[in-house]
Amino acid sequence: MTDPASPDPARSFGSVADSYDRGRPSYPTDAVKWLIGDEPCSVLELGAGTGKLTEVLVGLGHDVFATDPDDAMLDILSEKLPDVRATSGTAEQIPTGDGLYDVVIVGQAFHWFDHAKALAEIGRVLRADGRLALIQNERDERIPWVRKLGKLIGKQESDFDPTAILDDSGIFSAVEAQTFRHWQVVDRHSIQDLVLSRSNIATLEPDAQDRKRREVLAFYDDYGRGMDGMQLPYNCRGWHAQVLPHAQVAISTSSTTGAYEVVELDEEPQPGVPLAKRTDTAVRLPRVITDPDGGDDDLLIDFR
């Protein structure tokens, strides 16, 4: 049974926003291109955090509206990307009008959502031919030292697959999936930020967080890599699906089943209200180096 007084892991990242921005990996450009396509389009990003994925989207020329429930995370995003519209909001109550976006994209956050409510909202804000795109980085724990790191910092969402959730919703066409390989350089500083940015660690008491940080630092120092760093391998998994034509989704009034009701519309959805630009308040933070040189031949090397 969950302790009602314990912190909500899904809302724990604001307290470690700086560490999240410094320690978490970005996303490979090829993966984002595959998810969205080659042509610039209007993109709504849910769970945008500090803008790891947003930076890639903007670099590809997309018009992005970024949302996240945590203002501390969005402050960092807005400092890095002051021209991006960004505001507080949840996937279960998206702060925008109907039928406005070509793509709704979610990076590393879909598993936190109330899926019934969130998919109803996503169906509402997408255009008739719009697309839902999901992307998630997973450490490649086939490599011995990465597996040891995983045991120290906690389980990742490696078993997560949204295909059944999207199929069962009745809102989307068949799901397509693809996996992309990439690497993140972690050094003696950023590996500490990586561990502190984990929700299972961010919700600990400060003394317990510090013990875990020192434990991971000792693990890193034991490999003797120093400031040269390590290449931490990731499998970046992506899924996308088209919204079914003219389908508007409403949640059932049943509080126990959370069932979907799909209603066919005879007319196009109406445009919503304009989006406000947020005020920037954060201090810019350094970006994590991603996509370093390396290949499959290096993957199975244990750095010890």
Side-chain angles (χ1 to χ4, degrees):
M1 182 175 179
T2 303
D3 180 358
S6 62
D8 179 1
R11 299 296 179 91
S12 64
F13 297 107
S15 63
V16 291
D18 289 356
S19 290
Y20 191 104
D21 193 60
R22 291 190 298 259
R24 289 296 184 104
S26 183
Y27 299 88
T29 300
D30 287 349
V32 179
K33 285 182 177 178
W34 177 82
L35 283 168
I36 295 184
D38 294 329
E39 295 297 322
C41 61
S42 60
V43 178
L44 170 66
E45 185 182 0
L46 301 176
T50 64
K52 292 288 183 178
L53 177 56
T54 321
E55 288 180 302
V56 181
L57 293 166
V58 170
L60 291 172
H62 299 296
D63 178 23
V64 183
F65 174 41
T67 70
D68 194 273
D70 196 301
D71 277 325
M73 301 285 274
L74 284 177
D75 282 342
I76 294 175
L77 183 154
S78 291
E79 175 64 23
K80 294 190 297 185
L81 301 166
D83 294 329
V84 171
R85 294 169 297 170
T87 195
S88 300
T90 67
E92 295 80 13
Q93 192 172 4
I94 299 173
T96 188
D98 299 347
L100 294 179
Y101 294 95
D102 299 311
V103 176
V104 171
I105 193 167
V106 185
Q108 217 74 18
F110 189 72
H111 56 286
W112 295 119
F113 296 172
D114 179 324
H115 294 127
K117 293 179 180 179
L119 291 177
E121 279 287 89
I122 291 168
R124 175 182 68 81
V125 303
L126 279 171
R127 291 177 176 150
D129 58 349
R131 172 183 295 193
L132 172 61
L134 309 177
I135 189 169
Q136 184 143 318
N137 282 316
E138 297 173 0
R139 296 184 305 274
D140 188 350
E141 294 193 350
R142 297 176 304 168
I143 289 73
W145 79 271
V146 182
R147 188 162 56 250
K148 293 175 186 176
L149 176 64
K151 289 179 180 179
L152 288 176
I153 68 177
K155 183 181 181 296
Q156 58 184 3
E157 296 78 26
S158 56
D159 297 330
F160 176 75
D161 188 334
T163 302
I165 296 170
L166 299 185
D167 285 345
D168 292 346
S169 73
I171 308 170
F172 298 96
S173 64
V175 179
E176 295 184 47
Q178 186 69 269
T179 299
F180 299 81
R181 304 294 294 277
H182 70 124
W183 292 260
Q184 174 196 13
V185 172
V186 291
D187 59 26
R188 198 173 188 272
H189 297 300
S190 61
I191 201 167
Q192 296 177 69
D193 287 315
L194 177 63
V195 61
L196 292 174
S197 75
R198 298 281 303 168
S199 62
N200 58 306
I201 295 168
T203 53
L204 296 175
E205 293 296 324
D207 287 349
Q209 290 183 30
D210 191 58
R211 285 195 298 272
K212 180 59 67 174
R213 179 192 62 78
R214 286 187 279 108
E215 186 180 5
V216 171
L217 184 59
F219 164 81
Y220 178 90
D221 288 341
D222 192 39
Y223 280 89
R225 300 289 293 181
M227 290 308 298
D228 291 338
M230 295 175 170
Q231 292 187 18
L232 180 55
Y234 284 90
N235 292 318
C236 182
R237 302 174 68 199
W239 302 265
H240 65 66
Q242 299 294 124
V243 69
L244 294 174
H246 309 296
Q248 183 182 45
V249 180
I251 299 299
S252 167
T253 55
S254 169
S255 61
T256 56
T257 64
Y260 297 99
E261 177 188 356
V262 179
V263 181
E264 296 294 332
L265 296 180
D266 294 326
E267 57 183 338
E268 294 294 323
Q270 298 300 309
V273 297
L275 301 171
K277 183 172 179 176
R278 83 183 255 114
T279 302
D280 304 319
T281 58
V283 176
R284 185 178 180 88
L285 297 174
R287 301 182 187 180
V288 174
I289 300 171
T290 58
D291 195 24
D293 292 335
D296 289 344
D297 291 341
D298 298 325
L299 269 178
L300 299 179
I301 295 174
D302 186 321
F303 282 113
R304 183 180 290 278

